[in-house]
Amino acid sequence: MNKEIYGLVLVGGESRRMGRDKAMLSYDGKQTQLERTAGLLRAVCPRVFISQRKAQSFPTPEGTEPLYDSLTDVKGPLCGILSAAFAYPEADWLVLACDLPFLQVATLEKLIHSYREAGTGTPLSYQSSGDGMPEPLCAIYPSSYAQQLHEMAGKAEKFCPRRMLISLKAPMIEQDDPRSLDNINTPDEFNAVTQQ
C-alpha cells in the first residue's frame, strides 16, 4: 500500500555565499522563497513541514508545520531529511531546497507520479540537467530507508545526500524543463533573476 507523501522544505542552511538567508529572499516582491516553496508542496502533499535547526526560528507559512533537527550525529540537509523520516515514519518524504525559484507544481507532480508508478519504494530524484547526477534536494525519500541512510552516514562520516543516492543506485527521471531545478546561491545570481 502506498504511503502518503509529506512535503519538507529545507531551510536550515547558513547561506554563506548569499550573505543573507535564501529562504527569506523574494523574487516577485510578493512572497518569500520559503512561502513560494511551501505553497508548491501544499499543492501536492497533505502535510508540509519546514525543516530547520533548533537555533533557528523561521516563520511558518500558512498550512505548514515546523520540524526541528533531532539528530546530533548527522549534519546538513541529511539531518533534516532523517529527522523528518524518524519523526513521521508513516509517510514518505518529498524534499525540496528553498532556493529553487524556477520550480513549478508540474515538476513535483511528475516526480510523485513516477514514484507511485514505479512502486518500488526506493528513493527517486531528478537527474541534473548539468552533470547527469541525482538532484537530492528535489527528491522523494521513503521513510523505510531512514535507518539505512543513517547507518551509511555513520560509517562514512559523510552526510551528502547526493553521494548516498549514487551509492544506492537510486533511479532518476529527466526534467521536462532543464532550468526547473536551477538554484540561486549568490547575490549576483539573485540579481540576474530579479532583473529578467
Side-chain angles (χ1 to χ4, degrees):
M1 184 175 178
N2 286 330
K3 291 183 176 181
E4 295 227 68
I5 296 176
Y6 291 171
L8 187 70
V9 185
L10 296 170
V11 295
E14 297 180 1
S15 302
R16 288 190 188 109
R17 287 179 285 173
M18 183 63 72
R20 54 186 170 144
D21 204 301
K22 291 186 285 186
M24 295 293 100
L25 296 176
S26 175
Y27 291 86
D28 61 5
K30 297 176 182 176
Q31 59 182 178
T32 65
Q33 190 59 20
L34 171 57
E35 291 168 335
R36 182 180 186 279
T37 305
L40 294 173
L41 283 172
R42 283 200 316 272
V44 296
C45 297
R47 293 180 76 180
V48 176
F49 296 82
I50 310 302
S51 170
Q52 55 198 294
R53 290 177 279 121
K54 290 181 180 177
Q56 296 174 305
S57 182
F58 280 90
T60 306
E62 183 180 349
T64 69
E65 306 167 58
L67 199 156
Y68 295 97
D69 290 350
S70 62
L71 303 174
T72 58
D73 58 342
V74 180
K75 299 176 183 176
L78 185 63
C79 185
I81 295 166
L82 293 181
S83 295
F86 286 132
Y88 298 93
E90 71 274 13
D92 294 332
W93 289 89
L94 172 49
V95 175
L96 293 181
C98 66
D99 58 352
L100 305 172
F102 307 113
L103 187 63
Q104 299 295 326
V105 169
T107 306
L108 304 182
E109 290 174 336
K110 179 179 177 180
L111 186 63
I112 291 171
H113 175 77
S114 298
Y115 179 75
R116 296 282 195 213
E117 192 173 54
T120 58
T122 58
L124 180 69
S125 73
Y126 275 103
Q127 184 176 37
S128 169
S129 58
D131 60 15
M133 297 295 179
E135 290 280 6
L137 302 185
C138 181
I140 296 177
Y141 293 85
S143 285
S144 59
Y145 272 71
Q147 188 60 45
Q148 182 178 353
L149 292 174
H150 194 204
E151 290 170 4
M152 286 171 68
K155 288 176 185 174
E157 291 189 356
K158 293 184 179 174
F159 311 114
C160 175
R162 173 177 268 195
R163 288 183 182 176
M164 293 192 166
L165 292 176
I166 293 169
S167 295
L168 292 170
K169 296 182 172 57
M172 298 180 284
I173 60 173
E174 292 186 9
Q175 300 176 50
D176 292 331
D177 174 4
R179 199 179 183 199
S180 62
L181 300 182
D182 286 357
N183 62 353
I184 303 300
N185 293 305
T186 68
D188 286 345
E189 292 173 350
F190 173 71
N191 291 333
V193 173
T194 56
Q195 291 168 10
Q196 288 179 356

